[in-house]
Amino acid sequence: MKRKLRMGMVGGGKDAFIGAVHRIAAFMDGKIELVCGAFSINPEISRQSAEELFVAPDRVYADYEEMITKESQLPEGERMDFLTVVTPNFLHFAPAKMALENGFDVVIEKPMTVTLEEAKELKAVVEKTGRTLCLTHTYSGYPMVKQAKAMVKEGHFGKIRKIVVEYPQGWLSRLSEREGNAGAAWRADPKKSGLSLVMGDIGTHAAHLAEYVSGLKITELCADLSTLVEGRVLDDDGSVLLRFDNGAKGVLMASQISAGEENAVRIRIYGENGGLEWANEDPNNLIVKMLDQPRQLYRTGNAYTAPYTLSSFATHNTRIPAGHPEGLLEAFANIYRNFAATASAKREGRTPSPEELDFPTVDDGVRGMAFVQNVVASNASNEKWTKFEM
Ligand code: NAD
């Protein structure tokens, strides 16, 4: 593109958590600018947020419907190109659908919707409109996660047999939803959050990471969900046994009552010849453990030579020389950069490269919602194994 892509936002005001992270990520490469928004449920907070972000007052809208309607009436050289949806879960589907139907691309937070039906409908709209939808599964944006995926794909570990993925957090160890924490309050409300708190909020990240790195699909599962904080309506802890489409077995743990934990995402994958380990709290390291060999440490940003050469997907998503820490903001920015490159390529009639196309899409969103629904069904069932229905 000969110009920046123009971004609009629904949610992400001064009263929000993740919206600011989206802006840092979107702006990091200088290819995106913020032009409009309906930034908050509270119009005054939305107005103040816009002022601080230097968004023109006439591009601050009362709600997403007004924003999409009025933006579509602006001349092509002015109107937004894509909408970022960073509202609570129950307010993802409607703005995303309306934006796509009005010719805008979409960046949307996970879980993509609150039901599988909505997710499938959104996929149908993406297919009908031909627009681009990017789902922000943050952890898939790290260079060493890309390297792990590439090594599994090239058969470095042999046939994959075992996948262990964990996402423990401790921030819901108390009844924070009744103690004035707005983010906890909507997450703990089934109408706003969905069928499961822990699986929608963080289990979807873990399931996506397992499928993304392994290249495998979950086919069956056996789930145990619990509400361990008294007075909470939805679950806050879950363990799931997994079976994958190549016969591999897996374990997924997602927990928001793991007191003292921060965001301890970790994945271990074992094949016939060896395994790998990656952890969000040490993201520039990929530990490779081969049978009968000393342990190896692959690090972001190195120019290793064969046979240790880093994959083009890892280097494409690396920004700075080795040893300077890259973290979550850069991983998030990688997702935006790949989305922006793909959206721009499509607008220019160019075919995006495989590296540019490497970001989570509406298909991942549908699988995420299917994961939540299947986990909840398995937890409620007396059958040991539940087929992963889509
Ligand atoms: P939050 O409660 O901190 O912020 C929600 C924002 O949406 C607020 O600005 C609120 O005013 C606004 N909002 C609510 N209703 C609105 C409406 N009708 N119109 C306009 N704005 C409205 O929530 P959050 O923690 O920022 O989470 C938002 C979404 O991001 C959730 O779906 C969550 O699951 C997801 N999330 C993803 C990650 C990740 O790692 N990818 C991390 C955190 C949150």
Side-chain angles (χ1 to χ4, degrees):
M1 290 281 275
K2 296 202 171 49
R3 60 168 178 82
K4 293 189 182 199
L5 281 183
R6 292 184 287 264
M7 167 178 168
M9 287 190 104
V10 56
K14 288 168 62 165
D15 53 344
F17 160 47
I18 205 70
V21 174
H22 277 254
R23 285 190 291 272
I24 293 168
F27 302 160
M28 195 174 280
D29 293 291
K31 300 203 184 299
I32 293 171
E33 63 183 324
L34 179 67
V35 296
C36 63
F39 295 101
S40 171
I41 187 75
N42 178 326
E44 180 52 23
I45 292 180
S46 182
R47 192 196 62 72
Q48 287 172 13
S49 308
E51 196 173 275
E52 287 180 16
L53 294 164
F54 306 108
V55 171
D58 62 343
R59 304 285 287 273
V60 187
Y61 300 102
D63 52 43
Y64 73 85
E65 282 153 312
E66 188 197 21
M67 171 161 62
I68 295 168
T69 306
K70 293 217 169 129
E71 286 289 318
S72 23
Q73 290 160 359
L74 290 176
E76 208 197 313
E78 281 177 43
R79 67 171 170 252
M80 71 171 173
D81 295 302
F82 74 93
L83 177 66
T84 286
V85 181
V86 277
T87 40
N89 304 351
F90 75 109
L91 280 163
H92 288 184
F93 172 71
K97 179 170 186 277
M98 188 175 170
L100 293 164
E101 287 175 342
N102 281 274
F104 301 112
D105 295 320
V106 166
V107 175
I108 188 168
E109 263 301 350
K110 51 43 60 180
M112 190 167 75
T113 53
V114 288
T115 66
L116 178 57
E117 284 64 38
E118 281 179 354
K120 286 183 182 167
E121 197 178 330
L122 213 49
K123 178 175 156 72
V125 177
V126 168
E127 282 166 0
K128 191 167 156 218
T129 58
R131 301 256 50 104
T132 305
L133 182 143
C134 169
L135 180 72
T136 45
H137 273 307
T138 323
Y139 307 101
S140 64
Y142 282 101
M144 285 300 104
V145 170
K146 309 279 188 201
Q147 178 64 17
K149 180 180 174 66
M151 290 175 82
V152 170
K153 193 174 175 194
E154 76 188 16
H156 195 82
F157 307 104
K159 185 183 171 214
I160 298 306
R161 292 168 165 168
K162 183 86 180 176
I163 299 172
V164 183
V165 64
E166 307 156 45
Y167 197 156
Q169 295 180 326
W171 76 289
L172 293 178
S173 295
R174 300 195 182 99
L175 204 56
S176 321
E177 57 267 44
R178 305 258 180 88
E179 293 165 5
N181 183 327
W186 70 254
R187 280 175 174 81
D189 176 350
K191 286 196 225 68
K192 297 183 173 172
S193 196
L195 287 175
S196 165
L197 163 55
V198 74
M199 289 299 157
D201 208 30
I202 57 173
T204 47
H205 274 313
H208 178 261
L209 190 62
E211 291 197 342
Y212 178 74
V213 177
S214 70
L216 302 172
K217 298 278 182 240
I218 300 166
T219 53
E220 285 181 282
L221 49 80
C222 171
D224 179 26
L225 293 175
S226 309
T227 305
L228 294 174
V229 173
E230 212 182 312
R232 180 160 285 146
V233 180
L234 282 170
D235 49 61
D236 48 26
D237 180 82
S239 308
V240 190
L241 296 177
L242 304 168
R243 288 176 169 172
F244 290 87
D245 56 356
N246 75 334
K249 303 295 172 86
V251 184
L252 181 150
M253 182 269 249
S255 169
Q256 296 179 302
I257 52 77
S258 295
E261 291 289 5
E262 296 171 341
N263 283 284
V265 183
R266 185 162 71 130
I267 184 162
R268 284 171 287 167
I269 297 187
Y270 304 97
E272 294 162 313
N273 310 322
L276 64 83
E277 177 172 346
W278 177 86
N280 177 53
E281 293 183 346
D282 205 359
N284 298 310
N285 286 344
L286 173 65
I287 304 169
V288 170
K289 309 165 186 178
M290 302 307 290
L291 266 181
D292 309 321
Q293 290 180 24
R295 206 166 267 204
Q296 298 164 3
L297 186 63
Y298 283 69
R299 300 254 312 144
T300 305
N302 280 283
Y304 302 134
T305 53
Y308 304 106
T309 319
L310 293 176
S311 81
S312 64
F313 288 86
T315 53
H316 172 76
N317 290 286
T318 300
R319 293 154 188 281
I320 45 179
H324 299 304
E326 294 194 45
L328 180 115
L329 298 174
E330 288 84 355
F332 224 115
N334 290 337
I335 293 176
Y336 262 95
R337 187 172 58 176
N338 294 340
F339 155 75
T342 294
S344 301
K346 280 198 194 168
R347 282 163 198 268
E348 292 163 349
R350 189 168 55 77
T351 307
S353 71
E355 287 82 0
E356 289 172 337
L357 284 166
D358 180 27
F359 59 87
T361 67
V362 74
D363 292 326
D364 300 290
V366 173
R367 282 199 71 77
M369 292 319 300
F371 174 75
V372 173
Q373 186 164 304
N374 283 298
V375 164
V376 170
S378 167
N379 179 61
S381 161
N382 288 325
E383 293 289 316
K384 185 164 174 188
W385 289 102
T386 301
K387 282 222 170 324
F388 193 97
E389 306 282 359
M390 290 285 286

